[in-house]
């Protein structure tokens, strides 16, 4: 198609849209829409007034302290301290009987108990009557009463290759 024919075709289409727009405007002025008065429309609107005198909707007072309770526990508070009265009575385990196997970052520690079992603990957990208060790389702090106990992972021995090459 040549540019001259394309230009002529576009002008014809534009003229057609212009004529259609004029027809819509004239039709809107000559043929008015059906109008509804405000009083007729108001009968169909819903109201917020109660339908009866004895409304059975609950009052704010009936909710009690449900409105004052927090929606979720606080995320920034320190972990709760274990109540020593609630800990289960059992044979006393000393920290010397426990061994730190390792830590995963500063969130989880693996501790080997006196019977050889390995337990995963987090800060705030109760471990044989001791509260886990801190976990750091290669170290865990436990609290038993007023006493603070530190379990440290011993440094691993040097590899055999290093010992042989040092001779």
């Amino acid at each position: 198609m040549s540019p001259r024919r394309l230009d002529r075709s576009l002008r014809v289409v534009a003229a057609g849209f212009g004529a259609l727009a004029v027809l819509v405007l004239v039709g809107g002025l000559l043929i008015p829409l059906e109008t509804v008065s405000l009083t007729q429309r108001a009968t169909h609107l819903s109201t917020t007034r109660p339908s009866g005198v004895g409304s059975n909707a609950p009052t704010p007072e009936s909710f009690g302290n449900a409105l004052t309770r927090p929606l979720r526990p606080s995320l920034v508070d320190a972990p709760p301290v274990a109540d020593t009265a609630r800990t289960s009575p059992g044979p006393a385990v000393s920290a010397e009987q426990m061994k730190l196997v390792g830590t995963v970052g500063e969130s989880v520690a693996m501790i080997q108990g006196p019977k050889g079992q390995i337990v995963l603990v987090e800060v705030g957990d109760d471990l044989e009557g001791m509260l886990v208060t801190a976990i750091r790389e290669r170290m865990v702090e436990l609290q038993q009463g007023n006493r603070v106990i530190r379990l440290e992972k011993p440094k691993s021995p040097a590899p055999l290759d290093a010992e042989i090459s040092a001779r």
Side-chain angles (χ1 to χ4, degrees), residues 7 73 75 88 144 161:
D7 185 44
L75 299 175
S88 59
Q144 189 173 30
D161 294 340

Side-chain angles (χ1 to χ4, degrees), residues 87 126-131 143-145:
T87 57
D126 181 60
L127 178 68
E128 303 288 337
M130 293 177 269
L131 177 68
Q143 183 175 357
Q144 189 173 30

